[in-house]
């Protein structure tokens, strides 16, 4: 699921830079969490769209389905994380914060399967 999340974010970044640009992916551990940043040098996302970009079927692309970022948000939430977006008129950065350990939710799943 994390691979799918990253593929969606990278694909969106590449598509946003249709005239070329730079893609940066960073990861670091902070206080028991891993933070992954996917940043591009595309045109950016207007601030007034921040509340809509994760909505199912919302898209600004001519041939988009509006599912990519909604799926990303769901994957992150299912893993106990958060996803944030920042864009200041030029370039966009998605920051995904995930716990390093999910022991309690995995234990809960194992208990459900054994019943």
């Amino acid at each position: 699921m994390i691979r799918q999340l990253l593929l969606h974010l990278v694909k969106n970044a590449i598509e946003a830079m249709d005239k070329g640009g730079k893609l940066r992916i960073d990861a670091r551990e902070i206080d028991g969490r891993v933070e992954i940043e996917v940043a591009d040098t595309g045109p950016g996302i207007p601030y007034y769209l921040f509340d809509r970009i994760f909505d199912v079927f919302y898209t600004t692309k001519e041939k988009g389905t509006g599912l990519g970022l909604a799926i990303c948000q769901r994957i992150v939430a299912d893993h106990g994380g958060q996803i944030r977006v920042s864009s200041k008129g030029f370039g966009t950065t998605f920051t995904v914060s995930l716990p390093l350990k999910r022991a309690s939710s995995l234990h809960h799943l194992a208990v459900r399967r054994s019943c």
Side-chain angles (χ1 to χ4, degrees), residues 14-34:
I14 290 169
E15 289 174 355
M17 300 184 296
D18 61 348
K19 293 181 173 66
K22 291 185 180 182
L23 173 66
R24 180 180 49 83
I25 303 170
D26 290 320
R28 64 186 163 276
E29 182 183 342
I30 300 174
D31 297 327
R33 300 183 73 77
V34 63

Side-chain angles (χ1 to χ4, degrees), residues 31-67:
D31 297 327
R33 300 183 73 77
V34 63
E35 278 200 357
I36 304 166
E37 284 187 354
V38 178
D40 67 63
T41 58
I45 300 171
Y47 72 92
Y48 57 86
L49 293 181
F50 281 13
D51 290 340
R52 299 201 61 201
I53 62 172
F54 294 106
D55 290 350
V56 176
F57 302 123
Y58 179 78
T59 184
T60 59
K61 299 175 187 174
E62 188 174 312
K63 293 185 180 183
T65 62
L67 294 174

